[in-house]
């Protein structure tokens, strides 16, 4: 082997050695839990297992049990409504605010910093705060609406099956807007100003500038943001638990809360693992389909 070949081989080995610790850490922190969760979903894994060490294999019985449960269909619908409603309004509000803050005006930097507060607060703190705001009798929201004459009777935001899911979605939108603003604002900052100057010469201003200049250059960031938003939102747990606990009458029950219920309330860890694996499969399916569709649209 020539000295050049040995040098190249040594460089390749050095690269592998640099990457190996990170790869091992990824396998330990992410690979093992996913594999363990998959194994648990195929076992009768209960609280007794921690004492006996025995978890008999049951195949797909856990999946059959959770899918045929009467709450599963409602949880699926709630999960879809919660995810779609949250992502749509978070993205729309985030894009509008990002476009607004792109303009230079006094205190713009301070306002952008304050906008990050909902994202930086611990979710359990946000849930507790909003729970007090949405309280039916003593909440500040109902008192304000009543004082303005917009409502006559207090709205049971968290106690009515027909309103609770809307209230939970609203709180999740409030929490997710800063993340959308941050990424979209960064994407807007990367668009060269020369494109807008050239567009003005061709009459591309206002909506036409957004359609032909802003959105095409922002599409890559928007694609990543939507995928991350869906993957994050579909597994939201602490906000729902802090506000409604999945109630009333399972009106805010989602697949994530059902997985928590099966695992840490009923101590049926196998069934809880099965539900979490269904969530993972849905997230992966959406990511693959959406990214492939986006890539095809860009290529065309």
């Amino acid at each position: 082997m020539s000295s050049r070949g040995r040098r190249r081989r040594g460089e390749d080995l050095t690269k592998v050695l640099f990457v190996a610790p990170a790869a091992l850490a990824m396998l330990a922190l992410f690979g093992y839990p996913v594999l363990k969760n998959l194994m648990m979903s195929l076992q009768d894994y209960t609280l007794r297992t921690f004492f006996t060490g025995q978890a008999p294999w049951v195949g797909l019985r856990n999946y059959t049990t959770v899918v045929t449960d009467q709450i599963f269909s409602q949880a699926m619908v709630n999960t879809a409504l919660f995810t779609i409603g949250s992502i749509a309004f978070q993205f729309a509000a985030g894009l509008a605010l990002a476009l607004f803050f792109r303009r230079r005006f006094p205190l713009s930097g301070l306002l952008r910093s304050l906008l990050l507060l909902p994202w930086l607060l611990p979710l359990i703190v946000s849930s507790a705060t909003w729970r007090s705001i949405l309280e039916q009798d003593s909440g500040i929201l109902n008192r304000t609406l009543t004082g303005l004459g917009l409502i006559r009777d207090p709205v049971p935001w968290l106690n009515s099956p027909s309103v609770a899911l809307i209230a939970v979605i609203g709180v999740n939108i409030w929490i997710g807007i800063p993340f959308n603003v941050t990424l979209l604002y960064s994407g807007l900052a990367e668009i060269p100003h020369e494109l807008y100057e050239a567009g003005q010469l061709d009459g591309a201003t206002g909506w036409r500038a957004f359609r032909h200049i802003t959105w095409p250059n922002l599409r890559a960031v928007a694609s990543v943001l939507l995928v991350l938003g869906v993957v994050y939102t579909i597994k939201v747990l602490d906000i729902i638990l802090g506000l409604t606990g999945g109630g009333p009458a399972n009106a805010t029950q989602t697949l994530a809360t059902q997985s928590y219920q099966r695992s840490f309330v009923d101590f049926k860890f196998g069934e809880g693992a099965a539900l979490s694996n269904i969530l993972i499969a849905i997230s992966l399916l959406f990511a693959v389909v959406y990214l492939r569709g986006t890539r095809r649209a860009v290529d065309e």
Side-chain angles (χ1 to χ4, degrees):
M1 182 182 294
S2 62
S3 59
R4 186 174 182 180
R6 287 194 297 269
R7 189 183 306 112
R8 181 175 298 177
R9 186 174 181 180
E11 291 176 354
D12 292 340
L13 180 60
T14 302
K15 295 176 183 177
V16 171
L17 291 177
F18 273 111
V19 174
L24 291 175
M26 290 286 289
L27 288 174
L29 296 176
F30 296 99
Y32 173 75
V34 171
L35 182 61
K36 180 64 176 177
N37 196 65
L38 180 60
M39 293 175 60
M40 287 175 59
S41 69
L42 302 174
Q43 296 175 294
D44 184 16
Y45 210 102
T46 62
L47 191 62
R48 182 183 301 176
T49 303
F50 290 97
F51 299 97
T52 64
Q54 298 178 356
W57 292 91
V58 295
L60 299 177
R61 191 180 73 184
N62 289 327
Y63 291 91
T64 303
T65 301
V66 297
V67 170
T68 56
D69 189 279
Q70 59 180 358
I71 300 179
F72 181 79
S73 58
Q74 184 177 1
M76 279 286 291
V77 173
N78 290 341
T79 301
L81 293 175
F82 179 78
T83 303
I84 295 172
S86 297
I87 295 301
F89 285 97
Q90 284 176 0
F91 184 82
L95 180 58
L97 288 172
L99 291 171
F100 173 75
F101 282 116
R102 194 183 183 192
R103 302 176 180 179
R104 298 293 181 181
F105 58 90
L107 301 179
S108 61
L110 176 62
L111 291 177
R112 286 202 308 270
S113 301
L114 293 176
L115 192 64
L116 293 175
L117 286 178
W119 189 34
L120 298 176
L121 287 174
L123 292 180
I124 194 64
V125 174
S126 299
S127 300
T129 302
W130 273 101
R131 186 175 180 85
S132 64
I133 292 174
L134 297 173
E135 193 69 34
Q136 179 175 350
D137 297 323
S138 59
I140 188 174
L141 180 58
N142 277 335
R143 288 191 173 187
T144 301
L145 294 177
T146 304
L148 294 175
L150 298 178
I151 60 174
R152 297 180 58 184
D153 300 317
V155 179
W157 296 106
L158 303 177
N159 301 320
S160 172
S162 59
V163 181
L165 184 60
I166 298 175
V168 172
I169 292 174
V171 174
N172 192 57
I173 291 171
W174 177 81
I175 292 173
I177 285 176
F179 179 70
N180 285 259
V181 174
T182 301
L183 290 189
L184 291 172
Y185 182 83
S186 300
L188 290 173
E190 294 297 323
I191 302 177
H193 188 69
E194 291 78 9
L195 293 178
Y196 293 98
E197 294 178 349
Q200 288 179 353
L201 297 177
D202 296 329
T205 58
W207 167 250
R208 295 184 63 185
F210 175 82
R211 179 182 177 184
H212 297 288
I213 300 175
T214 304
W215 181 249
N217 288 277
L218 198 63
R219 184 178 295 174
V221 175
S223 298
V224 174
L225 178 59
L226 289 174
V227 171
L228 291 177
V230 169
V231 172
Y232 171 78
T233 305
I234 203 173
K235 63 179 182 62
V236 166
L237 173 66
D238 33 19
I239 298 173
I240 300 176
L241 290 181
L243 289 172
T244 63
N250 296 318
T252 58
Q253 200 76 250
T254 63
L255 293 181
T257 59
Q258 267 294 287
S259 178
Y260 173 86
Q261 175 79 24
R262 297 295 180 102
S263 296
F264 302 108
V265 178
D266 301 334
F267 299 113
K268 297 179 180 179
F269 298 101
E271 295 179 6
L275 282 168
S276 63
N277 286 331
I278 292 174
L279 275 176
I280 293 173
I282 294 174
S283 300
L284 289 176
L285 179 63
F286 170 82
V288 170
V289 172
Y290 181 80
L291 291 177
R292 181 169 296 180
T294 303
R295 182 179 299 176
R296 186 181 298 113
V298 172
D299 293 339
E300 293 176 356

